[in-house]
Amino acid sequence: MAHFYNVGVAGINLDSGLGIREAIFMKYSSAEKKGGNIIIPHRHGELHVPDKYFAGADVMLQVYLPFDVETDAITALSELARLFSSQTEVAVTQDDPYRGSIRAMVENLQDPIPTEDRFTYMFSLRNASGFWEDQAVTNISSGSPPAVVTGGDRPIHDMILTFSGPGFLQHTDDLGQVARVEIDAAAGAGTYVVDVGLGTCKKGGANQDEFVSITQPWIMKWQPDDTPSLTANVGVAASFRNKWA
Amino acid sequence: MAIWYEAWTLPWDAAGFKRKFFYLPTVEGSGRGTISFLTTQGEGIVDVPLDHLTAAGRDLTEIVSDTTASLIRVFDSLPDGTVTIIDEWVCERPARRHEDGRVATISGPPLKTKAFDGSIVRPFDYPANPTLTPDHIWGGDNVLSDPGFETPAVKNEQYELVRDGATGGNFTVTVDGQTTPSMAWNIGPVGLENNIEALSTVTDVLVTATSDGWTVEFHNPSEPGSFDWTPAFTGGGGDEEIKTTVEGLIEPSGTWTTSQHADASVNPHIHGTYATDGFRLTDPDSGFEPVHSGTYAARINGLSQFAGIQQIVQVEPGMTYQLSIWFWSSDASEEFRLVARDIYDNLITEDSFTNVTNATPSTWTEVTLELVVPEGIDTIIFRFAQTVDHNPDPFYVDDAAMNEGQPPTTWGDIVDILMGTRVDLFFWIDWAGVDVTNDSGSVVWPGEETVTVQFGETFGQLWDLGVDLGYEWNLIPKDTPVGGWDPLDETHELVWYVKAGMDADPSTAINPGPSVTGGESFNRIPAYTRVYVEGSEGVYVEDEDATALANFGPMEKYEFNTHLNSEATSQARAAELLSYESANRNAVRFELIATLGNPRPGVHFKPGDTIPMQLPPGLQKVEKRVQDFSYVNTYPAQYIVTGSRVLEGEAAAYNLLWRIWRRLNKPQKPRRSGGILPGGGGGMAHILIVSTSEPSNIQKKGDYVVPHTNSGASLQAIFDTVNDKWTIWMAGDFELDQNVTAPAGCRIRGLGYPAPVET
């Protein structure tokens, strides 16, 4: 029996909400890394650029329309298309047998694409972030440093770091690159929330940029399925969603 | 391998220098900037994604708006987390494209541009308004005329031959051992003149007849060694005699006189008394009269107190002058005073004099005095005189000076002084490492500069002057201290170095390797091989690159620079022009990409550092100073590094700019300030002498008023102050009760007007 992916679009379960009993997201589509290697004159081959970043990804959603009554198929297809009609990205969810319950923000780029089978349609979606991520947040309790263990198979770059006070959290990756987030003591006691993805640091909702310094342009970035090498001099809690291809 | 951006408040923000965005989101590949060596050029630009700001609860107006500006700091870092600021520019304008409001392009000039091109050198006498002395002058013009006494004024020796009524007989005349033929007692003046001029010891004399003899005026020589006659007359009183009516002298030029009142009508007019030859130049043939420099010095043999020498000088109200003169005297009892007085003989200020004793007799000694001319005074008397009231030995003076402005000083002192005048603007800059003695590397400055800095110039233009003279500068951000900056903290450091002093050898190189993606190099022919540099004095210097001249022939460049006050400083500029040309003849440009483990500009080397650069195909390795680098915020970051100021690809644009500059740039010859230089502007100096026979309204227009009876002495006193470049206008009636002589070459013209018609 085929795996039930329990696909949802914009909070609507395709099965229970639209009667589309079978739907599947293609696991790998066009995800690629940005940039390339470097061509050096008078050298064979290329110079490898390590630590490349992923581009946005195309996501293909294949749906099998209900056909008990012919009108059901058109209705389900149209309602599904309407769910994707948004001014911004739409959240999609699925229960993947390997990745678990994951989600992604996608944008529908065009009308549904018919296939040879009159009841099977494809939706060409664009995932700007390039990644799926856990529906559930992984919370690492405060530690100095926090005991972070990552999952997934794509880097985590948008963690939320909660500092219990001024101090630093430092990460050294496998290339020896040191990424350090430090909150100056002059900021004063309090809880500081660093949103690495947005590049903000707030205390009580107020920006604390004056007191924050970083050492790498990515601020902080953890590899998947890894125990990052962290040091800290203050208690830091971390919350993140594992990333997936 | 990537660069990122932060936004800060401006360093001069009254609330303090603070970080506004520890991470400024930017569009990859949109961020560009250029960091140049020794200039304030360049601009930074980057696109900011507005949706990201909105998602973060931020707004573009925090960065730049009608009321806000930011300092954008561009960072790069090493893998170990060492962070380097590679660029700082002031975000002064955002631009949002009409068709797409998702991205804002922010841009602005480098911090050093905003700091120094937006700051003005105030007038020297700030806050005086209107300003009397707008310019800051070091080692300015010597406003004295003939300061070294090298323009002698000749006084022809004159004799009178008295026949005492002779009615017959003959006589001969002997000049320096040569004797004329016997001449009749009644020979005419022309005949006598011809016979004297026929002597080998005489070239030119002027003989005129008197009622009882002749006068003989020597022109060449102006002063014979000996002159005598042998009369053998008959029929007269027998008391023939030869009189010396005018002693021949070589005197200081007419701008120098004995100490005296400026107003010729004051009685007594002359200060002190003098021996017969008490005011003359030294005799180069004497063998024992001292000279400080050149051929002549002035010799004053005063018999009483206040005998001395002076010059009346036009000055600028408010200007500072450095007065000096060298004196020599064998008399240990001598005492002197260098003094500045007004035309009424009052002290200019209560301390406008300095007294000196002859502590080291028979040694040239310099006396100095600084004078600030008060408002309302435009003429002073520069005077050096003996103050002892006995009759000492003669004294000598030479190399007088009255230089505008402050004494020459080092470039470090100039920077320190001028920065100090704008502490209101530059409180955030630390320049303590730049002082009068040492540069920022604790290297002693090579010498003193004689320059003028004008009110209204920007500090950026002032820094260009320093670079023109071969010095080097930079504005460097200081490390942010723990706790951040407090208001009024010095957040940046201004450094200045002697030539090549900022050069570093950072143990890195650009070779064909993992980070070099392209490049070009070339050797070009010189833009010039010979230079002419003209300074403010009108003095110009020539210099040339002998090797380049031999290889390429003469290619010339002229530069007129109003900042340069002396030949020495102009020479320094000429040398720097040639050095600059030579250093940039071999050009190298590299395209780099940031790679782990390989050097990156801004992090491993900076503009001003010398690093080896090596490119195929010839792989000639050259040591070049990095002139500039530009960056792009791609991943990995991309750079272009140049080792030359002028590159082939820019030649077209460069030549266009050169043509425009050449058309618009006309050397501005400033009005000469300070003392009168007769004819110095190409014209003539004029004075008007009015006699007391004229109405008072005419007398008020005169430079001098002279009595219409017994006018001789007053006129002579005036004529003694002029030289051959003057024109003397005279109006009214004058009585010549004595012979009056004027310098050969000067013009005397009468201002006539119709006499009233008598009916």
Side-chain angles (χ1 to χ4, degrees):
Chain A
M1 185 174 180
H3 177 75
F4 180 62
Y5 285 90
N6 195 27
V7 174
V9 175
I12 305 297
N13 187 279
L14 295 191
D15 180 19
S16 60
L18 300 183
I20 300 174
R21 292 188 290 273
E22 290 188 53
I24 184 170
F25 287 101
M26 302 300 168
K27 174 167 170 56
Y28 293 110
S29 52
S30 65
E32 62 183 16
K33 290 186 175 179
K34 293 189 291 185
N37 292 322
I38 304 169
I39 306 297
I40 302 296
H42 309 288
R43 296 285 176 104
H44 293 293
E46 306 166 336
L47 180 70
H48 173 247
V49 175
D51 206 19
K52 293 186 181 66
Y53 291 83
F54 283 93
D58 292 327
V59 177
M60 303 301 295
L61 172 64
Q62 181 171 286
V63 296
Y64 302 92
L65 301 174
F67 51 84
D68 297 336
V69 178
E70 184 171 332
T71 56
D72 289 347
I74 299 302
T75 301
L77 181 65
S78 301
E79 288 184 347
L80 179 55
R82 181 179 58 78
L83 288 177
F84 280 116
S85 64
S86 168
Q87 286 181 295
T88 184
E89 291 178 309
V90 171
V92 295
T93 57
Q94 63 169 314
D95 292 335
D96 183 87
Y98 173 72
R99 294 172 287 179
S101 296
I102 56 177
R103 69 177 193 178
M105 301 300 293
V106 299
E107 178 184 14
N108 185 21
L109 298 178
Q110 60 183 102
D111 286 340
I113 305 167
T115 65
E116 289 182 352
D117 178 19
R118 59 183 290 196
F119 294 107
T120 301
Y121 279 79
M122 301 288 289
F123 283 82
S124 177
L125 308 171
R126 183 69 180 175
N127 175 7
S129 73
F131 300 152
W132 287 84
E133 62 182 11
D134 287 350
Q135 292 186 34
V137 175
T138 301
N139 291 301
I140 307 297
S141 57
S142 180
S144 180
V148 175
V149 177
T150 64
D153 57 13
R154 287 288 183 266
I156 299 165
H157 60 278
D158 57 355
M159 67 287 286
I160 305 292
L161 304 172
T162 304
F163 286 67
S164 60
F168 73 84
L169 175 68
Q170 179 169 300
H171 170 235
T172 304
D173 68 12
D174 293 339
L175 296 176
Q177 300 179 118
V178 175
R180 180 184 178 106
V181 178
E182 183 160 4
I183 300 172
D184 195 291
T191 300
Y192 296 86
V193 179
V194 177
D195 187 327
V196 173
L198 294 178
T200 62
C201 174
K202 295 179 188 287
K203 180 173 81 171
N207 289 313
Q208 301 296 310
D209 296 74
E210 179 183 344
F211 305 106
V212 180
S213 60
I214 61 177
T215 63
Q216 299 293 352
W218 54 82
I219 305 178
M220 190 156 291
K221 175 160 53 77
W222 297 331
Q223 292 304 108
D225 192 29
D226 189 30
T227 302
S229 173
L230 298 172
T231 58
N233 68 346
V234 66
V236 180
S239 62
F240 56 90
R241 299 174 192 269
N242 292 314
K243 308 298 182 192
W244 300 92
Chain B
M1 298 193 301
I3 56 181
W4 76 96
Y5 292 73
E6 292 187 2
W8 287 62
T9 60
L10 299 175
W12 49 85
D13 193 309
F17 187 43
K18 295 184 175 61
R19 189 186 289 106
K20 289 202 276 189
F21 281 72
F22 76 86
Y23 174 79
L24 181 65
T26 61
V27 176
E28 182 175 321
S30 70
R32 297 165 196 274
T34 300
I35 297 91
S36 296
F37 180 45
L38 300 184
T39 76
T40 52
Q41 298 171 1
E43 183 154 295
I45 187 169
V46 71
D47 288 347
V48 176
L50 298 177
D51 289 338
H52 188 123
L53 286 184
T54 302
R58 312 297 293 266
D59 191 81
L60 184 67
T61 56
E62 295 179 62
I63 303 170
V64 60
S65 70
D66 291 346
T67 56
T68 303
S70 300
L71 178 69
I72 304 300
R73 302 185 116 176
V74 185
F75 288 83
D76 196 350
S77 60
L78 295 174
D80 65 0
T82 303
V83 173
T84 305
I85 299 173
I86 68 169
D87 195 9
E88 293 184 295
W89 49 272
V90 176
C91 173
E92 60 179 17
R93 54 188 177 275
R96 302 191 211 200
R97 287 185 286 276
H98 174 70
E99 64 276 13
D100 175 9
R102 310 245 70 83
V103 168
T105 302
I106 60 173
S107 59
L111 174 63
K112 54 186 178 178
T113 300
K114 207 66 177 172
F116 298 126
D117 286 350
S119 304
I120 300 296
V121 176
R122 284 177 172 159
F124 177 78
D125 57 356
Y126 181 87
N129 193 357
T131 170
L132 292 178
T133 50
D135 300 335
H136 301 253
I137 303 173
W138 287 271
D141 295 352
N142 185 355
V143 300
L144 292 176
S145 174
D146 190 24
F149 305 100
E150 298 299 314
T151 309
V154 174
K155 183 173 284 186
N156 299 323
E157 194 149 272
Q158 189 171 321
Y159 298 89
E160 185 177 354
L161 304 177
V162 179
R163 289 182 300 215
D164 195 26
T167 57
N170 50 51
F171 68 103
T172 62
V173 169
T174 302
V175 182
D176 290 333
Q178 298 293 312
T179 304
T180 65
S182 177
M183 298 173 283
W185 68 276
N186 59 347
I187 187 171
V190 174
L192 176 57
E193 182 174 309
N194 290 338
N195 281 330
I196 295 175
E197 290 180 349
L199 299 175
S200 62
T201 52
V202 179
T203 301
D204 183 22
V205 294
L206 175 66
V207 177
T208 55
T210 66
S211 60
D212 191 23
W214 307 268
T215 60
V216 179
E217 182 178 324
F218 279 83
H219 290 174
N220 188 0
S222 62
E223 182 184 1
S226 64
F227 178 77
D228 203 357
W229 71 336
T230 305
F233 296 132
T234 60
D239 193 15
E240 303 89 1
E241 64 179 325
I242 181 171
K243 301 181 194 176
T244 303
T245 54
V246 176
E247 287 285 346
L249 287 176
I250 297 180
E251 293 184 329
S253 64
T255 54
W256 291 101
T257 66
T258 55
S259 297
Q260 56 191 263
H261 285 279
D263 182 358
S265 67
V266 172
N267 189 9
H269 176 54
I270 305 296
H271 296 172
T273 53
Y274 301 80
T276 304
D277 67 342
F279 187 77
R280 62 173 175 82
L281 295 183
T282 53
D283 182 355
D285 299 326
S286 71
F288 62 88
E289 294 191 327
V291 173
H292 186 249
S293 73
T295 304
Y296 299 102
R299 177 184 182 275
I300 299 94
N301 188 1
L303 304 177
S304 60
Q305 193 179 35
F306 302 137
I309 185 169
Q310 72 178 41
Q311 183 174 132
I312 298 176
V313 189
Q314 296 292 111
V315 295
E316 282 196 34
M319 176 65 74
T320 299
Y321 293 90
Q322 307 298 321
L323 282 65
S324 65
I325 196 166
W326 291 81
F327 75 90
W328 189 103
S329 170
S330 60
D331 190 334
S333 72
E334 268 281 34
E335 294 178 5
F336 301 97
R337 176 179 296 166
L338 174 62
V339 61
R341 293 185 179 276
D342 64 18
I343 59 173
Y344 305 107
D345 241 81
N346 300 316
L347 287 174
I348 300 296
T349 63
E350 62 180 8
D351 56 357
S352 64
F353 68 96
T354 186
N355 295 325
V356 62
T357 61
N358 192 17
T360 51
S362 304
T363 303
W364 281 102
T365 304
E366 188 182 25
V367 185
T368 61
L369 173 69
E370 182 171 288
L371 172 72
V372 179
V373 178
E375 188 175 350
I377 293 189
D378 60 9
T379 306
I380 73 157
I381 301 173
F382 175 101
R383 180 182 295 157
F384 183 80
Q386 63 189 38
T387 56
V388 293
D389 59 0
H390 59 269
N391 178 10
D393 294 338
F395 67 91
Y396 302 81
V397 295
D398 203 355
D399 293 329
M402 188 164 160
N403 294 101
E404 292 179 322
Q406 307 300 311
T409 188
T410 63
W411 180 252
D413 195 28
I414 293 171
V415 169
D416 188 26
I417 289 171
L418 291 178
M419 288 289 287
T421 64
R422 298 314 309 266
V423 178
D424 58 317
L425 294 179
F426 298 136
F427 62 87
W428 55 279
I429 299 178
D430 174 12
W431 69 90
V434 182
D435 63 29
V436 63
T437 307
N438 297 317
D439 73 356
S440 297
S442 299
V443 174
V444 176
W445 298 103
E448 295 178 332
E449 303 296 342
T450 55
V451 295
T452 295
V453 179
Q454 296 170 339
F455 165 40
E457 289 194 282
T458 68
F459 277 78
Q461 291 173 310
L462 177 60
W463 294 170
D464 286 345
L465 172 61
V467 172
D468 285 350
L469 297 176
Y471 300 112
E472 302 173 356
W473 70 277
N474 202 357
L475 184 67
I476 304 170
K478 291 188 171 185
D479 292 336
T480 303
V482 173
W485 297 107
D486 292 326
L488 305 182
D489 273 350
E490 293 173 340
T491 61
H492 289 71
E493 183 179 11
L494 173 66
V495 294
W496 274 95
Y497 295 90
V498 302
K499 188 173 178 61
M502 205 165 80
D503 200 344
D505 178 14
S507 298
T508 188
I510 302 181
N511 300 308
S515 61
V516 178
T517 57
E520 59 183 359
S521 65
F522 63 91
N523 293 332
R524 61 175 178 83
I525 71 169
Y528 47 87
T529 58
R530 180 186 293 149
V531 298
Y532 299 83
V533 175
E534 181 183 357
S536 66
E537 297 181 354
V539 174
Y540 68 91
V541 299
E542 298 179 52
D543 202 353
E544 59 189 32
D545 181 331
T547 303
L549 185 65
N551 289 333
F552 298 100
M555 302 174 194
E556 299 183 332
K557 176 180 175 63
Y558 167 82
E559 178 174 293
F560 175 63
N561 194 322
T562 60
H563 295 98
L564 310 179
N565 289 341
S566 72
E567 183 175 333
T569 309
S570 297
Q571 188 62 59
R573 175 58 185 148
E576 178 57 24
L577 276 172
L578 291 171
S579 171
Y580 173 92
E581 212 297 317
S582 173
N584 286 284
R585 203 171 301 155
N586 177 272
V588 187
R589 176 163 59 187
F590 285 87
E591 295 158 19
L592 300 179
I593 203 153
T595 53
L596 279 177
N598 287 296
R600 305 202 291 278
V603 176
H604 298 96
F605 59 89
K606 294 176 167 47
D609 291 345
T610 293
I611 59 177
M613 301 185 185
Q614 187 175 23
L615 265 183
L619 290 184
Q620 179 188 11
K621 178 181 285 188
V622 291
E623 296 264 338
K624 295 294 295 183
R625 288 193 85 175
V626 176
Q627 296 298 323
D628 59 57
F629 76 89
S630 60
Y631 60 86
V632 183
N633 70 332
T634 51
Y635 179 78
Q638 298 175 46
Y639 309 89
I640 296 176
V641 178
T642 68
S644 170
R645 296 282 184 91
V646 179
L647 296 175
E648 184 66 28
E650 299 168 358
Y654 176 81
N655 287 330
L656 174 62
L657 290 172
W658 165 253
R659 287 198 297 274
I660 293 172
W661 177 87
R662 188 181 59 190
R663 177 67 61 89
L664 297 177
N665 182 60
K666 301 263 187 267
Q668 298 293 324
K669 305 284 186 176
R671 180 185 68 82
R672 293 191 61 84
S673 61
I676 288 176
L677 289 182
M684 295 185 293
H686 297 244
I687 58 170
L688 172 63
I689 303 174
V690 181
S691 80
T692 51
S693 68
E694 299 306 290
S696 60
N697 63 314
I698 302 298
Q699 293 183 35
K700 287 178 183 176
K701 295 178 181 177
D703 296 296
Y704 296 96
V705 177
V706 168
H708 65 278
T709 57
N710 298 321
S711 314
S714 298
L715 286 175
Q716 187 63 67
I718 297 168
F719 290 167
D720 285 346
T721 66
V722 303
N723 62 26
D724 62 321
K725 294 184 174 57
W726 290 69
T727 294
I728 302 170
W729 297 89
M730 302 182 69
D733 299 330
F734 300 87
E735 180 185 8
L736 296 182
D737 58 316
Q738 65 178 62
N739 288 337
V740 176
T741 58
C746 81
R747 297 164 178 76
I748 300 176
R749 294 180 174 173
L751 275 177
Y753 49 88
V757 173
E758 295 182 5
T759 61

